[in-house]
Amino acid sequence: MLLANALLLVCLLVSVQAKTHTFNYAARWAWLNPDGVKYRPVITLNGTWPLPTIEVNKGDRVEFRLINELGNSTTSMHFHGLYQHSSNWYDGPVGFTQCPIMEGSSMLYNFTVDGQSGTYWYHSHTCAQYSDGLRGAFIIRDAENGVESLQYDEEKVITISDWYHDLSTVLTKRQLSKYNPTGGEPIPQNALMNDSKNVTFNVEPEKTYLLRFINMGIMVSQWVYLEDHEFEIVEVDGVLVDPAKTELLYLSVGQRCSVLLRTKKGKKNYALVQKMDEQMLDTVPDDLQTVSTNWVVYDENLPLPQRTDLDTWDLNFVNDVDLVPVDRMPLLPEPDMSIVVDMKMEMLGDGVVYALFNEKSYMAPKVPTLYTVLSSGKMATNEKIYGSNTNTFVLNYNETIEIVLNNFDDNKHPFHLHGHEFQILERSKPHDVPHPYHANHSRQFPEFPSRRDTLTVAANGHFVIRYKSDNPGVWAFHCHLDWHLEQGLSLTLVEAPLKIQQQLGSNLPKDQLDNCVNSNQFHAYGNAAGNVYDWYDLRGEKLQPEPLPLGFTIKGYIALVASALVALYGLYSIYGFGMDDVKKHGWEDSEVLVNLRRKVEDPVIQKELDQLISQTRGIEN
Ligand SMILES: [Cu+2]
């Protein structure tokens, strides 16, 4: 009885302290010029941009209503890095956990922020839409176990991103086109810091600042350094780590890193430099500034210095794989399930370059995978019903899951797992030729592995990660370089489907159901093809195009013969035209020679000219 009363008291205290944050946000277009170079349409929330930073405490409730007033596009919202315990249907990715929010409709994201704290962000999970500006910072505070428990005087949120002058829809169309045979990604026009350029941050001497860096870009990783200063990394992707000193940060899109900055005694201003990782750009156009300068300002009356161009390789750098979580979560045991995926980029039969995991490119099902789980009863544990082109794996509850990712591509890729942080067991360095993972060649795994929710695989390299399937839900594992996600670089991880059914029940919230009903692309029930009578009948599901044919097809042979005939005709025409020319010019030439012959008196030259005249007349005849 005493224990029950005590528990009740604790529950009451928690419920008194936990707050509900209500947001009603309309997504609308505005005409803005963040980089000072070009105005373009940008997606605002209630007309505001940069988007508001959402700040909550661990345990708080969030009621985030997104109203689609874009007028020309569907939308959605994902809260990047949040576990969404028992609230999987508010995770946000279209095709995985929801239908798109239709024009004029809305959706309520209603969840408790539980069991985690740190630096997160929120962004649209509809195509590559967040590059149009629909992204902002999301901070979860925890005075006891979060970065808030550390000693610092002030805090600043610093976002970095790439920036395009074209709409994401235009860029995606251009990229997924047979006229882009290399599959080259769109090159950004600029890099932003806090959604602006030439930003200044005022500081005072001899103070400690907590800087929360977030890369909200869509493609390019960036280096960040503050001249003549050192950072101390204390948090990555919501995981508190032992302080690690570094002069240089590297953030792939989707990644966050909080650092402590101790300011100096003297008064002088310093360049805060952000630098795009040029290795990720197919080409570097002349007018693209890959390095941008911002400033940490000790004294507003002093000038803002030029940056010194440094080779970032000269700076001391801490690899995120070597960070040690403060909670000392031990290495997870040998996996119960190992998912080995080889990824590559390849042109398929329609001439478009796709991203393939084990030869399969992710194609969105006709029913969001979570809704298939919720409508399929006991069939939910059967991988087949989720479609043959969705790269779906069904995971058992509370097992150790290992993902081995082998990169057969010569670009880097930042992979993000929804609903979890994962342990990083191993990540290879970049290679010129593919180096897939071989278990027996590996080094000893760390005792307390570094954890995060977004990890970059090196060019032609690999990584090995583990996590526990203790969060029932449909979770995407995908490249956060969204142009690649559009090319199909995603897995669907259906974690403990029967438990998902227990947690969520079978009735969708009405606004979610309405969005499916109004969508001409998705249904709310059935297997990946929208079938409810025969769960194995996948006719009508979206499939990737056939591979490019090997060798010649009938069409190819016809084309070959036709082009050979055309070539022969062309040669004949050139010959005819050329000879015609020679005849004509021959005639003119012989006239010239005859005139010359009349004027020349030297008999030797006369003889030579006579020969030439008879030769050219021969051609004429
Ligand atoms: Cu990628």
Side-chain angles (χ1 to χ4, degrees):
M1 188 64 190
L2 203 63
L3 184 69
N5 282 342
L7 275 174
L8 187 68
L9 189 67
V10 169
C11 289
L12 279 173
L13 277 174
V14 168
S15 64
V16 166
Q17 284 174 350
K19 226 178 123 181
T20 297
H21 304 260
T22 307
F23 306 97
N24 283 296
Y25 282 135
R28 287 183 209 131
W29 291 105
W31 190 243
L32 298 173
N33 185 4
D35 65 353
V37 179
K38 197 176 178 215
Y39 276 87
R40 55 152 291 171
V42 175
I43 300 178
T44 68
L45 290 180
N46 293 349
T48 299
W49 200 88
L51 300 190
T53 294
I54 294 178
E55 294 183 50
V56 302
N57 286 315
K58 189 164 103 175
D60 284 357
R61 185 149 201 88
V62 173
E63 293 177 0
F64 186 107
R65 185 180 301 282
L66 182 62
I67 307 145
N68 182 355
E69 293 184 6
L70 294 171
N72 61 350
S73 174
T74 63
T75 190
S76 61
M77 192 57 76
H78 167 57
F79 300 85
H80 182 120
L82 268 62
Y83 298 149
Q84 298 287 7
H85 277 310
S86 306
S87 52
N88 184 215
W89 51 25
Y90 299 123
D91 191 45
V94 169
F96 294 87
T97 60
Q98 68 166 84
C99 292
I101 305 175
M102 304 304 289
E103 289 153 28
S105 300
S106 71
M107 179 173 155
L108 176 67
Y109 295 86
N110 183 355
F111 54 89
T112 300
V113 177
D114 212 3
Q116 62 188 142
S117 66
T119 310
Y120 301 88
W121 61 302
Y122 62 100
H123 62 84
S124 161
H125 219 299
T126 296
C127 307
Q129 190 180 54
Y130 82 79
S131 79
D132 297 326
L134 191 45
R135 72 277 194 293
F138 192 106
I139 309 297
I140 308 172
R141 301 194 181 285
D142 177 2
E144 280 165 41
N145 300 310
V147 286
E148 289 76 10
S149 63
L150 305 172
Q151 293 292 314
Y152 58 90
D153 299 294
E154 208 186 302
E155 170 189 319
K156 293 177 193 295
V157 175
I158 303 178
T159 68
I160 55 174
S161 77
D162 40 32
W163 189 249
Y164 291 84
H165 289 161
D166 287 315
L167 287 170
S168 62
T169 44
V170 174
L171 297 170
T172 305
K173 204 171 166 192
R174 221 179 274 161
Q175 202 214 353
L176 299 181
S177 154
K178 62 181 173 187
Y179 301 108
N180 181 24
T182 63
E185 304 83 4
I187 306 293
Q189 277 70 50
N190 224 324
L192 303 180
M193 184 170 274
N194 281 357
D195 290 321
S196 189
K197 297 292 294 180
N198 308 315
V199 187
T200 54
F201 299 93
N202 288 346
V203 297
E204 288 173 36
E206 294 184 272
K207 290 258 166 100
T208 303
Y209 291 84
L210 177 77
L211 309 180
R212 297 176 186 263
F213 287 98
I214 307 172
N215 188 342
M216 305 198 304
I218 199 127
M219 167 158 150
V220 190
S221 304
Q222 294 191 40
W223 281 284
V224 177
Y225 59 89
L226 174 59
E227 290 189 356
D228 292 335
H229 287 72
E230 209 173 38
F231 295 134
E232 199 170 74
I233 300 175
V234 290
E235 180 224 335
V236 282
D237 296 1
V239 178
L240 212 61
V241 296
D242 285 358
K245 289 200 162 104
T246 186
E247 291 172 315
L248 182 66
L249 301 174
Y250 183 85
L251 287 112
S252 301
V253 296
Q255 292 185 326
R256 294 86 66 207
C257 183
S258 293
V259 302
L260 292 177
L261 168 69
R262 293 188 178 84
T263 51
K264 293 173 184 286
K265 268 187 188 166
K267 286 206 163 186
K268 192 184 154 196
N269 300 329
Y270 295 89
L272 175 64
V273 183
Q274 61 183 129
K275 187 176 177 188
M276 288 186 190
D277 181 351
E278 289 186 18
Q279 287 179 355
M280 298 182 78
L281 303 173
D282 253 18
T283 55
V284 182
D286 290 341
D287 59 347
L288 174 64
Q289 290 180 353
T290 54
V291 190
S292 309
T293 310
N294 308 274
W295 291 274
V296 165
V297 175
Y298 282 67
D299 187 341
E300 283 178 312
N301 299 316
L302 294 175
L304 299 174
Q306 294 266 317
R307 68 167 181 266
T308 340
D309 271 318
L310 295 172
D311 188 343
T312 42
W313 299 115
D314 292 340
L315 296 173
N316 159 36
F317 176 65
V318 173
N319 195 330
D320 58 352
V321 176
D322 298 327
L323 296 170
V324 183
V326 167
D327 63 15
R328 294 291 186 276
M329 178 184 169
L331 171 69
L332 284 165
E334 283 303 300
D336 300 294
M337 182 181 190
S338 184
I339 298 170
V340 181
V341 279
D342 296 344
M343 62 143 294
K344 63 176 175 182
M345 317 300 271
E346 194 171 280
M347 186 186 285
L348 296 182
D350 61 352
V352 172
V353 176
Y354 289 85
L356 309 175
F357 264 138
N358 295 348
E359 306 297 333
K360 291 277 183 183
S361 179
Y362 173 84
M363 299 274 144
K366 283 191 172 168
V367 176
T369 304
L370 173 63
Y371 297 174
T372 297
V373 171
L374 297 180
S375 58
S376 59
K378 286 194 175 134
M379 290 295 291
T381 54
N382 193 315
E383 231 156 65
K384 287 204 177 77
I385 67 169
Y386 301 106
S388 53
N389 234 139
T390 56
N391 292 330
T392 298
F393 294 87
V394 173
L395 318 182
N396 293 328
Y397 183 61
N398 231 8
E399 291 191 343
T400 299
I401 310 299
E402 183 173 272
I403 299 178
V404 176
L405 188 140
N406 297 315
N407 182 8
F408 285 76
D409 181 52
D410 52 13
N411 197 353
K412 311 170 181 180
H413 301 267
F415 279 94
H416 171 46
L417 174 63
H418 287 223
H420 292 272
E421 302 129 16
F422 45 77
Q423 293 186 332
I424 308 166
L425 276 64
E426 178 170 324
R427 177 175 58 184
S428 78
K429 60 181 174 52
H431 293 279
D432 292 333
V433 290
H435 271 62
Y437 173 69
H438 295 292
N440 49 350
H441 291 158
S442 95
R443 64 181 167 91
Q444 201 66 23
F445 296 140
E447 193 181 358
F448 307 111
S450 177
R451 298 201 307 277
R452 62 186 320 166
D453 61 43
T454 308
L455 178 68
T456 295
V457 67
N460 289 307
H462 59 258
F463 66 54
V464 183
I465 59 174
R466 274 183 201 169
Y467 66 101
K468 198 152 200 192
S469 54
D470 55 2
N471 188 17
V474 171
W475 307 115
F477 173 79
H478 66 89
C479 182
H480 217 292
L481 200 167
D482 260 24
W483 313 121
H484 295 167
L485 177 56
E486 289 304 287
Q487 285 173 288
L489 201 43
S490 185
L491 301 181
T492 309
L493 301 167
V494 177
E495 185 171 331
L498 300 181
K499 284 234 183 301
I500 305 176
Q501 293 172 354
Q502 284 168 18
Q503 285 180 352
L504 298 181
S506 56
N507 293 324
L508 292 180
K510 185 164 182 313
D511 52 357
Q512 295 195 36
L513 183 62
D514 287 348
N515 279 319
C516 290
V517 170
N518 296 328
S519 161
N520 50 16
Q521 193 190 348
F522 290 98
H523 307 285
Y525 310 102
N527 65 12
N531 264 315
V532 285
Y533 299 109
D534 179 358
W535 285 86
Y536 292 116
D537 182 0
L538 289 166
R539 277 174 299 174
E541 69 170 331
K542 193 161 183 222
L543 296 172
Q544 71 191 48
E546 294 293 315
L548 270 183
L550 289 171
F552 275 102
T553 58
I554 300 284
K555 247 175 153 179
Y557 281 115
I558 293 171
L560 182 69
V561 171
S563 53
L565 288 173
V566 168
L568 284 173
Y569 178 74
L571 281 173
Y572 174 74
S573 304
I574 291 167
Y575 171 78
F577 178 75
M579 293 317 285
D580 194 42
D581 215 35
V582 168
K583 283 176 191 169
K584 204 165 114 201
H585 283 98
W587 172 248
E588 284 164 4
D589 289 348
S590 69
E591 286 297 292
V592 172
L593 292 172
V594 169
N595 283 334
L596 195 63
R597 169 75 176 76
R598 283 190 196 118
K599 288 173 192 163
V600 172
E601 287 169 9
D602 184 331
V604 180
I605 297 178
Q606 280 177 346
K607 199 178 167 194
E608 282 191 9
L609 280 169
D610 285 339
Q611 277 176 4
L612 272 173
I613 288 165
S614 67
Q615 273 173 20
T616 48
R617 287 207 167 138
I619 293 168
E620 285 160 33
N621 300 329

